[in-house]
Structure formats: C-alpha cells, structure tokens
Amino acid sequence: QSALTQPPSVSGSPGQSVTISCTGTGGDVGTYDRFSWYQKAPGTAPKLILYKVSYRPSGVPDRFSGSKSGSTASLTISGLQAEDEGLYYCASYTSSSDRVFGTGTKVTV
Amino acid sequence: QVQLQESGPGLVKPSGTLSLTCTVAGGSITSSSWWSWVRQSPGQGLEWIGEIYHTGTTNYNPSLKSRITLSVDRSNNHFSLNLSSVTAADTAVYYCARNYYGLGIYYFDSWGQGTLVTDSS
C-alpha cells in the first residue's frame, strides 16, 4: 500500500518561512516528479498551488515553492502571511494509477 | 477554467447506495483528463475514491473498489459515483475533480465545491 506522510503541523510568524515535507513509501509513489500540492481552507474545495513538484498555476504567489529529494517532496512558504493558514496536502500517484494524498499538514501563522 | 458541480442526496440510509453526479461546464468531458471523486470525512484528510476516463475506463481506490461504480455520460457532460453498502464511515464531503494531464503528469487542477453526504442513522 502506497502512502505519503506529512508532519501534522508547522508554524511560523508573519514574514518567516515554513517548509512541509511529504515522504512517499510503498511502490513508486515518490519516485518521479508527480507531486502536487493543495491548500485547503475549512468549508472550501482544495486549491492547487504546485504541480510537477515546483510549477505554480497562474495566480499562485511565488512565495510558494517546491522541491524534491529522493522520495520526499517539500513545499516552502516564504514570507508567511495570515492568509496562508490552513491545511496543506501533497499528492502523487503510482505507475498503476493509484492516486494518493498525503496525511495533511496544518499551517499556523 | 472548467467548472465542476456535484449534485445528489445529502442523506443516505445505512446499507444503502450513495449516488452523486458531477456536471462539467466550460470544457468537454472527452478531453484528455481523468474525472475523479475525492472525499474528506470529518476531522480526516483527503481520500481519493476513484476516477473515470471518457471512454469508460476506470481506476479505483483498492480499499473501496468492491463498493464503487463510476460511470460517464458524454452527451450530458457529466460523470457519476455510486458507493454501495454505506455505513457511518462513509459520511464525508464528497468532491469531484478534474485530473488534468499537463507537462507529462496528472494533477487535480479543478474541483467542485463539495457536497456533504451523511449516513441517516
């Protein structure tokens, strides 16, 4: 069974940077550059903020950046703002097309 | 940007079947995307349920596979989820999403607003 593990929570002061890790285990879920990241506020749909590890959709601030090392992808939020508070999920998929979401990380500003 | 909208009953009887439909607007369901269902149970994270291609090909979460049926209606630009033998553990907000193919990978770029489905017990 494939899984993506994230830290339960991270916190930082306004203006600081925080980094969220996402480690893939089982199968090849963490092997390639298939990682994407989603921001989830209460009562709203998830919002795509990064895809293919580090690509930002239009409209997403460049304070959000991504990287990958081995089976671990990371999301960094620089210049933390109050509006960045919420839940963040990574996602990826296996070569057998199983889509997997990370366990989720709560960001507190 | 494509828009997605879930519809269906908000209450399901225990052991009954949950049925939801996702209508796609602003784009064709016959594009090179997969059409997915994702849910979030109270206090839990996101869980991928399954997805369907416009040809009818499906991928299912192995843990739910025995209870899921996905279908697609190309003429009406919508796709549907049936989840059988519902229990309290299936109470969740259900989202439909487009699993878009870009730069050689798939990612969920468009989401419906979500619909809460509750076990009526």
Side-chain angles (χ1 to χ4, degrees):
Chain A
Q1 188 84 352
S2 300
L4 295 173
T5 302
Q6 302 177 230
S9 64
V10 298
S11 64
S13 300
Q16 289 186 329
S17 295
V18 295
T19 296
I20 304 169
S21 62
C22 169
T23 300
T25 56
D28 62 354
V29 70
T31 303
Y32 304 104
D33 57 353
R34 300 169 178 160
F35 286 91
S36 51
W37 288 91
Y38 303 86
Q39 180 186 57
K40 177 83 175 63
T44 67
K47 174 188 174 184
L48 175 70
I49 54 172
L50 291 177
Y51 61 97
K52 199 170 184 176
V53 175
S54 61
Y55 287 77
R56 282 186 307 276
S58 96
V60 173
D62 60 6
R63 303 184 290 105
F64 294 90
S65 62
S67 63
K68 179 178 177 293
S69 177
S71 296
T72 298
S74 297
L75 165 68
T76 298
I77 309 173
S78 306
L80 204 57
Q81 298 183 4
E83 67 200 50
D84 298 331
E85 269 205 352
L87 285 164
Y88 290 78
Y89 293 91
C90 60
S92 184
Y93 55 98
T94 69
S95 295
S96 53
S97 299
D98 290 333
R99 318 298 182 183
V100 182
F101 285 98
T103 50
T105 299
K106 182 177 181 180
V107 171
T108 302
V109 181
Chain B
Q1 186 82 342
V2 68
Q3 292 89 43
L4 295 91
Q5 178 68 57
E6 305 90 351
S7 59
L11 281 177
V12 183
K13 293 181 180 179
S15 76
T17 297
L18 177 160
S19 296
L20 295 174
T21 294
C22 180
T23 301
V24 179
S28 174
I29 205 166
T30 59
S31 65
S32 56
S33 297
W34 289 78
W35 302 94
S36 288
W37 291 96
V38 176
R39 70 181 182 180
Q40 185 175 32
S41 301
Q44 303 299 311
L46 299 174
E47 179 181 29
W48 175 70
I49 298 170
E51 62 188 11
I52 189 165
Y53 200 65
H54 65 84
T55 56
T57 303
T58 54
N59 293 318
Y60 294 148
N61 185 323
S63 67
L64 297 169
K65 185 174 184 177
S66 63
R67 298 195 290 132
I68 304 171
T69 303
L70 298 186
S71 59
V72 63
D73 183 340
R74 292 186 296 273
S75 59
N76 289 303
N77 227 38
H78 69 228
F79 61 105
S80 299
L81 164 69
N82 277 1
L83 179 66
S84 63
S85 304
V86 164
T87 70
D90 296 309
T91 292
V93 176
Y94 286 76
Y95 298 96
C96 58
R98 182 174 75 168
N99 203 0
Y100 181 78
Y101 186 70
L103 293 181
I105 68 155
Y106 284 98
Y107 50 92
F108 301 102
D109 74 325
S110 301
W111 295 74
Q113 65 185 23
T115 186
L116 175 62
V117 180
T118 304
D119 166 60
S120 63
S121 64

